[in-house]
């Protein structure tokens, strides 16, 4: 038909127009392609153009409008209504080209129709174009609406999921809080149960405590009563002990006074034929007995009734001894008076008879003891020469103290510092002496010698010299000698082997600095009078504590040191003295003699054997002296030494045993066994710790 030809022509004209070249794609937003790219591509008709030509245009030709120049309201309304607008073949399958024909035939028919030229009127094309645009608009609006609904649905589901998650979180928190609450409740119940059990246990313990407290109070009351009784008994015992102690001191004082009377009576020279030494010997033994009781008392606290009874019997015996002495003196005086009268009568007879027989006077026979030995009594006092030597040493020591009195009593801080440095420099090296190597011992000796020679030495990180003060040398010599003796009193008393290294240094210093040796002897004699040997006598009016200090005891707060401690100190000092007299400094001048050699040891041994022994003291000192110095004396005096040992065994042992109580026999037995062993082997062993040549090579 001519109208169909014009439609196709129109369509082709539209296709060739600029607007017809524009591509229409409903899904361009979904593909995300750039809109400007559509302008660059060739224009083409919509895929719905054929459908419009097939369905819309025939209907319009069947019902033509009354006027081609004007559009009827009906057609306009028909085009404007949604019922005449074709739907998308995807959304509405009833209007799709495939729904009204076979798949192959219909498609080929539409394709052939699309290729055929169609001529559309201008108004009809506008309507088609409007329908197409309206359809695309509706389709886009439906897509947007569907997308909006889908987004709302997704948002709703997201909100629902969020609310559900929030509710689940709340439930979880509630369950967790409930669990914590239950655990807290269980813990509280456990704690309350434990608290109730603890309270019950506490009440039970409290009841038991009250019960035990009652029992303890009863026991405490009983114990307090027992303590009060014990305190009362102890007080009574102490009062009785103090009374007995005062009585014992009074007895000792009276015995010493009687002993002085015995000594005074023994010194009478007008009775040459009367032997009063037996009274003096027995008096000394009684004094020693009471002194031993007092020493034992100082160890035990208070004397017992038996000891007081023994002391009273000794006092009574001393009184009887003095009475017997006085009677003996009286008889001797009477005999002498009678003898004088007889001599006077004989002289008168001789004067009458000019020639008479000559009277010869024979000396009285010497009194002999058992075995034909002279039974001479031993002396108590030291020889005059020895006493004079002792007093000279003490006087030299006192003069030395006066010489540095200004340095000792100085208030100047600089002088005090110098005094302290000098004292450290003198005493610290002596404290370092021990059984060390010979090279170390030589360093100590050189340091002491340098200090005494006026050379500076290092002490405490500072340089010290005796030239820092005019009185420095006297101070150092005195302190050095004092320290040597103190080492014997403390170090040697505890470690006997230490006597030899200390003694060899002291001997070497003595040889180079004789004044130090004299001060060593002065300190030794003052602390240990038995090293003279010297037994101080009790003088009338002297305090008992002062007398005990003279004997060498330490008296602290009216209490005398124990006998064991006293003997230990005396032993250490005698061992040091015995080591000094036999040792010489190996690096000194061998051509000179020892400043205080073995001859002084022989003199000491002879003098102590000529004196009355003291209980527990003499045996201890003899053992220590012979153990340290016996080997050297044996090599020096040989036969004479063994005679001395036999004298000790045969004559001196009985005297020691006679005055030694049963509780003090330890030292006597030790000495006796030592001498018997030496006599059996005919040798005195080398003392332990003696310095040999290998010591000096180390």
């Amino acid at each position: 038909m001519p109208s169909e030809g014009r439609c196709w022509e129109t369509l082709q004209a539209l296709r060739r127009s600029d607007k017809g070249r524009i591509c229409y794609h409903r899904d361009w937003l979904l593909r995300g392609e750039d809109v400007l790219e559509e302008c660059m591509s060739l224009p083409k008709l919509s895929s719905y153009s054929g459908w419009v030509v097939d369905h819309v245009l025939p209907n319009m030709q069947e019902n033509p409008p009354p006027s081609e120049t004007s559009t009827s309201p009906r057609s306009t309304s028909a085009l404007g209504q949604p019922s005449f607008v074709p739907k998308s073949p995807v959304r509405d399958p009833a209007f799709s080209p495939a729904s009204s024909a076979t798949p192959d035939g219909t498609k080929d028919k539409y394709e052939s129709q699309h290729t055929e030229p169609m001529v559309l009127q201008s108004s009809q094309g506008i309507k088609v174009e409007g329908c197409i645009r309206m359809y695309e608009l509706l389709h886009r609006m439906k897509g947007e609406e569907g997308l909006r609904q889908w987004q709302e649905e997704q948002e709703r589901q997201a909100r629902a999921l969020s609310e559900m998650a929030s509710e689940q979180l709340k439930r979880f928190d509630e369950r967790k809080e409930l669990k914590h609450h239950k655990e807290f409740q269980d813990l509280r119940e456990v704690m309350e149960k434990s608290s109730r059990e603890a309270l019950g246990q506490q009440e039970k313990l409290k009841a038991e405590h009250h019960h035990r407290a009652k029992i303890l109070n009863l026991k405490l009351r009983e114990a307090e009563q027992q303590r009060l009784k014990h305190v009362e008994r102890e007080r009574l015992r102490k009062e009785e002990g103090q009374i007995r102690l005062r009585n014992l001191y009074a007895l000792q004082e009276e015995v010493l006074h009687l002993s002085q009377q015995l000594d005074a009576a023994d010194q009478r020279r007008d009775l040459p034929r009367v032997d009063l030494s037996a009274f003096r010997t027995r008096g000394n033994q009684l004094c020693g007995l009471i002194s031993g009781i007092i020493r034992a008392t100082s160890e035990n606290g208070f004397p017992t009734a038996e000891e007081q009874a023994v002391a009273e019997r000794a006092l009574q015996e001393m009184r009887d001894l003095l009475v017997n002495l006085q009677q003996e003196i009286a008889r001797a005086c009477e005999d002498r008076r009678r003898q004088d009268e007889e001599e006077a009568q004989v002289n008168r007879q001789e004067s009458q008879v000019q020639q008479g027989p000559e009277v010869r006077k024979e000396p009285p026979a010497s009194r002999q003891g058992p075995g034909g030995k002279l039974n001479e009594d031993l002396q108590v006092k030291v020889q005059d020469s020895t006493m004079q030597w002792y007093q000279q040493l003490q006087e030299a020591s006192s003069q030395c103290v006066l010489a540095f009195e200004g340095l000792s009593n100085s208030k100047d801080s600089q002088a005090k510092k110098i005094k302290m440095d000098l004292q450290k420099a003198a005493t610290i090296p002596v404290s370092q002496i021990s059984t060390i190597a010979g090279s170390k011992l030589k360093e100590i000796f050189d340091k002491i010698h340098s200090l005494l020679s006026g050379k500076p030495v290092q002490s405490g990180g500072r340089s010290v010299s005796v030239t820092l003060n005019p009185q420095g040398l006297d101070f150092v010599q005195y302190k050095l000698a004092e320290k040597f003796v103190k080492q014997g009193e403390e170090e040697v008393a505890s470690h006997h082997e230490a006597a030899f290294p200390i003694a060899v240094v002291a001997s070497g210093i003595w040889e180079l600095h004789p004044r130090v040796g004299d001060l060593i002897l002065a300190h030794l004699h003052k602390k240990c009078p038995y090293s003279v040997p010297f037994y101080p006598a009790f003088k009338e009016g002297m305090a008992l504590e002062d007398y005990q200090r003279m004997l060498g005891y330490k008296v602290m707060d009216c209490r005398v040191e124990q006998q064991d401690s006293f003997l230990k100190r005396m032993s250490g000092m005698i061992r040091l003295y015995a080591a000094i007299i036999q040792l010489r400094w190996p690096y000194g001048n061998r051509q000179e003699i020892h400043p205080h050699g073995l001859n002084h040891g022989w003199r000491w041994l002879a003098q102590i054997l000529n004196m009355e022994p003291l209980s527990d003291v003499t045996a201890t000192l003899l053992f220590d002296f012979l153990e340290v110095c016996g080997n050297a004396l044996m090599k020096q005096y040989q036969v004479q030494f063994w005679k001395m040992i036999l004298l000790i065994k045969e004559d001196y042992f009985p005297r020691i045993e006679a005055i030694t109580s049963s509780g003090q026999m330890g030292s006597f037995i030790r000495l006796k066994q030592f001498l018997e062993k030496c006599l059996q082997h005919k040798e005195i062993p080398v003392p332990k710790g003696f310095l040999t040549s290998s010591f000096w090579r180390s």
Side-chain angles (χ1 to χ4, degrees), residues 52 56-57 59-60 65 70-86 122-135 138:
V52 171
V56 177
L57 293 182
N59 293 331
M60 292 180 64
S70 63
T71 305
S72 64
R74 181 179 179 182
S75 62
T76 304
S77 62
L79 289 173
Q81 293 179 359
S83 60
F84 290 96
V85 180
S122 176
S123 60
Q124 188 71 22
I126 293 172
K127 292 180 181 179
V128 171
E129 185 68 24
C131 291
I132 292 172
R133 292 189 179 187
M134 188 175 295
Y135 178 80
L138 291 175

Side-chain angles (χ1 to χ4, degrees), residues 204-263:
K204 184 178 179 181
L205 291 175
K206 189 181 294 184
E208 293 179 358
H209 174 71
H210 288 320
H211 179 67
R212 291 179 182 176
K214 291 180 181 179
I215 296 175
L216 288 176
N217 288 332
L218 294 175
K219 291 182 178 180
L220 285 174
R221 282 196 293 269
E222 294 177 358
E224 182 66 18
Q225 293 176 359
Q226 293 292 334
R227 188 188 67 81
L228 292 176
K229 292 180 181 179
H230 178 72
V231 169
E232 184 65 20
R233 287 196 300 268
E234 188 68 18
R235 186 183 63 80
L236 295 176
R237 187 186 69 81
K238 286 184 179 180
E239 289 180 356
E240 294 175 357
Q242 290 175 354
I243 293 173
R244 284 196 295 267
L245 185 61
R246 287 194 292 269
N247 294 336
L248 192 61
Y249 284 149
L251 291 176
Q252 186 184 25
E253 187 175 0
E254 187 175 354
V255 166
L256 292 174
H257 182 69
L258 294 177
S259 177
Q260 289 179 349
Q261 294 181 5
L262 288 176
D263 293 339

